[in-house]
Amino acid sequence: MKPSRVALGRWTATLWLALPLALLPCANATEAPPADPAPQQGGTVHITRAELLSIPGTGYSAPPRRIEDAGLPSDGWQAVSLPHTAGRELVPTSAGGVHTVTDWYRIDLAGRVPSPRQPLFLYFPRWKTLGRIAVYSDGVLLYQSQGSAVHNGYNHPLLLPLNAAANTPSPSTVLIRVDRLRSSGSGFSTVWVGDQNSLRWRYQGRQLLQVLLPFMGSAAFLAVGAFAFAVWLGKRRESLYLLFFAISAAAFLRTLHYFVTGDHLLMSDEWFEWITVASLLWLIIFIHLFLQRLHQQPSPWLTRLSVGLALASSIATLPHASAAVPSLYLLTPLLNLAVLPIAMLIFAVNLRKALRSKFPEGRLVAGWAVLALAFTSYDGLLQNNLVSPESVYTSPYAIISLFFVFSYIMFQRYTGAFAEVARLNKGLAQRLQAREAELEQSYQRLRVIENEQMLGAERRRLMQDMHDGLGSSLISAIRSVEQGAMTDTEISGVLKGCMDELKLAIDSMESVDADLLLLLATLRFRLAPRIESAGLALRWEVQSVPALPWLDPGSALHILRIMQECVANVLRHTRATMIRFSTATDGQGVCVVIEDNGAGFAVEEALRQSGRGLRNQHRRALTIGGTVRWESGSSGTRFTLWLPLLRC
């Protein structure tokens, strides 16, 4: 069976959580002091014993450029084992923040280091003090820490040259001067002496564990937090992203003092120390809010209590006056220990709620909380000089593991959101497909109904036209024949008119695609033989005109009947010898003109007295939005049909 993605993520996070624990024993085991200092491979010597002289004083003093053993008190030296610690006061007194102690560590190298073929180096993994350190080789100052006496780079290992070049005599004595506040204590690791090649890997390993990994982890955490903050700016409702950014920023500020040195601070020691203390408090608060947001079971009382304590502590520890400055440095270990009960309460409440609500990542967070409390407790012992100063601070690794835990949680939420969106999109696509099928069915039904309605309307129109035109003409012819009132010629003329009516009805059903010229060409094809048989000359002067978008079969039939009625009137009444058809564009419309050279008629009187012919032309023109006009005189008659380009 293949492991699930969740299981793989948990195993990966667990591996990263366990990494610092796996590294620390290796580092300590590698540098465990031997019982007797003796040359090792490559001429490296591990120094585990020294002589110590402590000189009390008041205030810090600059180290001299040269110092001889004779310049120091001859009595008071005592043998000590390395690593060595000077105890600190858990609750410091006021005098302990003013009085200082200068510790001199003397290491005798005479006869213990062979004549070097390469330059010798002095390496010690770690030192810890509220003060400065200076290193002398045969009384000559080799190194002194610069800048702040508080944030002095104590977590950085040192690798210093003892002699300038190869094949030069080895120093016989090394003096190490350590200043400290009396109540703060100090710590000093074992010392290694050898050539650069044999000590480089030890130095680089320590630099990686104590400085580089904490820095890279906190920087990566902050970078991902900045990305989460950018996401939150676009989605203000997702407060998890804002809390993730707040956690990453607080974690970065909290670990800053592990890898900075005093000569690189951009602010005073007082404010830097306050940021170090306050960031731990707010980091715990932000984690509490983050967990509440995840398991959706808030604890208002715990939130109010923890935020109130954090605000009170942050305000109380502000560097109000210079007299209060030393106390904050000295109280920092005590404040860090005081935070542990609050952190344990917050984590216990949130973990209980997470497990009760079956929060999937609850066990992972529970494992991290146990590990973080263990790491923080161990660092509290180290900070108070209760364990070997050669140990490594583990809190930065708790922060790095927090980065992986929270990144895993955010990744799960992120991928879960994508899966939910994919599921919703799939459901939406299915509903859309079903809706499209319903719409297609409705559209097909509407098309059938529309076709039926259109066929019915066309059928009714044709029936009406057949009844009013062809039917009326046939009935009149039948009655005339029955009564014997018509000659054969007259009957033939009536039947030809009926045939023209039928042809016009058929022609109106043809599609003309809004082309008036095509409709007129159809009319010419139908009426030209009849006009020529009547002895009239046909002059066709039709010009191109714009298309009429509204021209449909019904409108086409009206235009054909108007033209047919006009031609019939010319043939029956005017005794003309010529008929002319023409077209023109007039403003917002098109004009169709029919002219003859026959006898004219009184237009006004004819409109009042005549029968259906002229009135039908007028009615049909109004039906399609057009107008008709007659102009008649002794030289002939001019009929104009005006049609709009666009019909409302």
Side-chain angles (χ1 to χ4, degrees):
M1 182 182 297
K2 295 183 178 180
S4 67
R5 184 176 59 183
V6 174
L8 288 175
R10 289 176 177 172
W11 277 108
T12 303
T14 304
L15 178 62
W16 276 101
L17 290 175
L19 179 61
L21 293 179
L23 290 174
L24 293 180
C26 295
N28 291 335
T30 301
E31 299 177 2
D36 295 316
Q40 299 182 0
Q41 185 177 2
T44 302
V45 176
H46 190 188
I47 308 297
T48 60
R49 296 190 63 81
E51 293 180 286
L52 173 64
L53 174 64
S54 298
I55 303 175
T58 301
Y60 296 114
S61 60
R65 297 183 61 86
R66 291 187 61 88
I67 189 70
E68 300 291 345
D69 290 352
L72 297 173
S74 58
D75 55 344
W77 290 93
Q78 56 179 341
V80 295
S81 298
L82 300 180
H84 177 263
T85 58
R88 66 175 301 149
E89 299 173 357
L90 186 59
V91 182
T93 61
S94 58
V98 177
H99 297 288
T100 60
V101 176
T102 300
D103 291 329
W104 290 90
Y105 291 90
R106 184 168 60 189
I107 300 174
D108 186 10
L109 297 181
R112 302 169 67 179
V113 179
S115 298
R117 297 180 181 178
Q118 299 179 3
L120 285 179
F121 283 79
L122 179 71
Y123 160 68
F124 38 96
R126 199 165 169 277
W127 53 279
K128 186 173 87 68
T129 183
L130 278 179
R132 297 181 179 86
I133 186 173
V135 180
Y136 295 85
S137 174
D138 286 340
V140 179
L141 180 63
L142 294 180
Y143 169 82
Q144 63 174 337
S145 57
Q146 303 292 329
S148 170
V150 180
H151 305 98
N152 46 26
Y154 63 90
N155 205 38
H156 292 252
L158 288 179
L159 183 64
L160 308 173
L162 284 179
N163 52 357
N167 300 319
T168 57
S170 302
S172 59
T173 303
V174 172
L175 286 175
I176 302 172
R177 182 182 187 267
V178 180
D179 289 336
R180 61 181 174 89
L181 290 175
R182 192 181 68 184
S183 60
S184 69
S186 65
F188 195 78
S189 67
T190 58
V191 178
W192 299 76
V193 178
D195 59 84
Q196 186 177 13
N197 292 332
S198 60
L199 294 178
R200 181 189 296 132
W201 68 272
R202 299 179 186 274
Y203 170 78
Q204 292 175 345
R206 275 285 177 167
Q207 185 75 3
L208 178 67
L209 286 175
Q210 296 176 183
V211 180
L212 296 181
L213 280 180
F215 174 74
M216 291 187 293
S218 60
F221 198 177
L222 183 62
V224 177
F227 173 76
F229 180 73
V231 173
W232 176 79
L233 289 177
K235 301 176 65 177
R236 295 298 180 91
R237 290 187 175 182
E238 299 293 338
S239 57
L240 273 179
Y241 293 102
L242 179 61
L243 288 172
F244 187 87
F245 167 70
I247 290 171
S248 67
F252 180 80
L253 294 175
R254 172 58 189 169
T255 57
L256 200 59
H257 65 285
Y258 289 113
F259 42 82
V260 301
T261 56
D263 52 344
H264 293 99
L265 290 181
L266 300 179
M267 62 185 70
S268 65
D269 286 333
E270 297 83 0
W271 283 104
F272 190 85
E273 188 70 16
W274 178 80
I275 289 175
T276 301
V277 174
S279 59
L280 175 60
L281 300 173
W282 290 105
L283 174 62
I284 297 173
I285 301 300
F286 293 145
I287 293 174
H288 164 65
L289 296 176
F290 187 89
L291 293 177
Q292 273 196 154
R293 182 69 177 78
L294 286 176
H295 58 62
Q296 297 293 327
Q297 293 190 27
S299 302
W301 65 271
L302 182 58
T303 301
R304 289 193 294 268
L305 175 63
S306 56
V307 171
L309 289 175
L311 282 173
S313 300
S314 299
I315 295 174
T317 54
L318 279 170
H320 299 291
S322 59
V325 170
S327 62
L328 182 58
Y329 308 145
L330 299 174
L331 286 174
T332 297
L334 181 61
L335 292 174
N336 291 338
L337 292 176
V339 170
L340 284 177
I342 302 175
M344 292 177 65
L345 175 63
I346 289 176
F347 291 151
V349 171
N350 281 284
L351 292 176
R352 181 173 63 86
K353 290 181 177 292
L355 295 175
R356 180 184 298 175
S357 64
K358 297 182 180 180
F359 169 49
E361 293 85 3
R363 293 182 180 180
L364 184 62
V365 177
W368 174 83
V370 173
L371 188 67
L373 289 174
F375 280 7
T376 305
S377 301
Y378 179 80
D379 284 359
L381 297 176
L382 179 58
Q383 198 170 28
N384 286 281
N385 300 331
L386 298 177
V387 297
S388 170
E390 203 158 328
S391 303
V392 176
Y393 278 111
T394 53
S395 292
Y397 291 97
I399 299 297
I400 295 175
S401 61
L402 176 66
F403 163 59
F404 285 102
V405 169
F406 279 14
S407 296
Y408 171 73
I409 293 175
M410 296 298 290
F411 175 76
Q412 288 295 103
R413 294 289 168 134
Y414 190 72
T415 54
F418 267 106
E420 181 67 16
V421 170
R423 187 185 65 80
L424 293 176
N425 286 340
K426 183 178 180 181
L428 182 61
Q430 292 175 349
R431 291 196 298 272
L432 181 61
Q433 186 176 5
R435 184 60 178 165
E436 287 178 348
E438 294 176 1
L439 291 176
E440 180 65 23
Q441 293 176 359
S442 300
Y443 176 70
Q444 294 298 335
R445 289 195 296 269
L446 290 175
R447 286 190 62 184
V448 172
I449 294 172
E450 183 182 3
N451 289 335
E452 291 177 352
Q453 292 177 346
M454 183 177 65
L455 291 175
E458 190 68 14
R459 188 180 295 112
R460 287 191 296 272
R461 182 183 66 82
L462 290 174
M463 291 175 64
Q464 183 69 33
D465 287 336
M466 296 285 286
H467 177 271
D468 295 343
L470 180 61
S472 177
S473 299
L474 287 174
I475 290 172
S476 298
I478 291 171
R479 288 178 180 176
S480 298
V481 171
E482 289 176 348
Q483 296 174 1
M486 297 181 67
T487 63
D488 293 341
T489 303
E490 292 174 339
I491 294 174
S492 176
V494 171
L495 292 178
K496 289 180 179 179
C498 292
M499 182 61 69
D500 290 338
E501 290 282 349
L502 180 60
K503 290 178 179 179
L504 287 177
I506 295 173
D507 290 340
S508 68
M509 299 176 64
E510 296 290 336
S511 175
V512 294
D513 295 328
D515 191 350
L516 179 62
L517 298 184
L518 180 60
L519 183 64
L520 295 177
T522 303
L523 179 67
R524 178 185 181 184
F525 174 74
R526 295 297 184 190
L527 297 181
R530 186 178 175 185
I531 293 172
E532 293 173 355
S533 65
L536 274 72
L538 175 62
R539 295 175 60 183
W540 194 262
E541 299 177 2
V542 173
Q543 303 295 324
S544 177
V545 294
L548 304 178
W550 50 267
L551 189 58
D552 54 15
S555 302
L557 182 59
H558 284 300
I559 295 174
L560 291 175
R561 288 198 181 281
I562 292 172
M563 298 290 103
Q564 181 193 27
E565 183 67 25
C566 183
V567 172
N569 289 335
V570 172
L571 295 177
R572 287 196 297 263
H573 304 297
T574 64
R575 297 186 300 276
T577 60
M578 182 273 299
I579 186 170
R580 185 170 71 92
F581 285 78
S582 63
T583 56
T585 302
D586 180 16
Q588 297 298 319
V590 173
C591 293
V592 180
V593 180
I594 301 177
E595 299 177 87
D596 66 79
N597 60 353
F601 66 99
V603 176
E604 297 296 334
E605 183 179 354
L607 288 175
R608 288 194 305 268
Q609 298 179 0
S610 65
R612 295 179 306 170
L614 298 182
R615 288 197 299 271
N616 283 344
Q617 287 177 292
H618 182 68
R619 177 180 57 80
R620 289 181 183 277
L622 291 177
T623 301
I624 59 177
T627 59
V628 291
R629 186 174 72 254
W630 292 268
E631 300 174 15
S632 184
S634 58
S635 60
T637 302
R638 177 186 175 91
F639 170 79
T640 303
L641 170 63
W642 181 86
L643 300 171
L645 293 177
L646 298 175
R647 191 170 66 184
C648 299

